[in-house]
């Protein structure tokens, strides 16, 4: 995922994240994204931090914003998909997979692995999604 120019505030937040200073990184991302709300990679990264901390409602919120900004981006979509599934929002996860498959059909790039997972969800629907979620518990 590429945002053309990385604002200094976002760059600082990335540095804190890289250094393992998670609490400071969260605050820095929140402050930076208040000033630069269209920085998709910042939203995606903050979503990832929340997902790792199992703060799933916050992860979903951040990944949704990233998808709004970059609807054809695989990383944004898979972040939202996994956060939704882990939060137990299986139907919403399946809908995100289907939404992204439509993007792929219209030319969005997608790795073969993600494409196969999403196609499996699309074909098998909620039953497969629930089995996947249970395997992660």
């Amino acid at each position: 995922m590429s945002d053309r120019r990385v604002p200094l505030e976002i760059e600082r937040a990335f540095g804190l994240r890289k250094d393992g200073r998670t609490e400071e990184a969260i605050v820095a991302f929140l402050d930076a994204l208040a000033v630069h709300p269209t920085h998709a990679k910042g939203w995606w990264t903050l979503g990832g931090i929340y997902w790792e901390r199992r703060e799933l409602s916050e992860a979903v919120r951040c990944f949704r914003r990233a998808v709004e900004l970059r609807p054809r981006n695989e990383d944004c979509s898979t972040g939202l998909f996994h956060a939704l599934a882990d939060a137990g929002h299986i139907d919403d996860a399946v809908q995100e997979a289907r939404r992204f498959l439509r993007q792929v059909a219209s030319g969005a790039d997608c790795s073969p692995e993600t494409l196969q997972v999403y196609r499996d969800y699309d074909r098998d629907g909620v039953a497969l999604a629930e089995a996947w979620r249970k395997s992660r518990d």
Side-chain angles (χ1 to χ4, degrees):
M1 178 180 342
S2 172
D3 288 297
R4 296 184 198 280
R5 185 181 69 76
V6 180
L8 291 176
E9 299 92 343
I10 299 277
E11 196 171 294
R12 178 179 171 274
F14 285 137
L16 291 167
R17 166 81 165 137
K18 184 179 178 184
D19 291 344
R21 296 165 60 187
T22 304
E23 295 297 327
E24 293 173 78
I26 290 171
V27 171
F29 273 114
L30 291 171
D31 290 347
L33 291 167
V35 177
H36 306 283
T38 61
H39 198 277
K41 189 171 182 181
W43 286 108
W44 177 79
T45 303
L46 183 57
I49 292 170
Y50 283 130
W51 182 79
E52 289 172 0
R53 294 165 55 104
R54 309 312 290 163
E55 295 179 35
L56 298 175
S57 64
E58 288 300 311
V60 167
R61 181 182 65 81
C62 293
F63 286 132
R64 275 195 202 283
R65 182 67 178 132
V67 166
E68 289 171 7
L69 295 167
R70 299 283 191 277
R72 297 169 61 94
N73 184 279
E74 178 181 354
D75 291 334
C76 295
S77 177
T78 57
L80 178 57
F81 172 81
H82 289 293
L84 286 166
D86 287 352
H89 303 294
I90 304 304
D91 291 338
D92 292 338
V94 170
Q95 288 305 312
E96 174 54 25
R98 289 179 177 157
R99 184 206 64 81
F100 191 72
L101 283 172
R102 289 190 299 275
Q103 295 293 319
V104 170
S106 67
D109 290 332
C110 185
S111 70
E113 297 82 9
T114 297
L115 190 57
Q116 187 59 52
V117 167
Y118 277 8
R119 282 183 175 152
D120 287 346
Y121 275 92
D122 191 44
R123 180 177 55 248
D124 299 327
V126 175
L128 180 60
E130 286 183 6
W132 179 83
R133 183 182 54 81
K134 286 178 184 174
S135 74
R136 308 242 326 147
D137 288 340

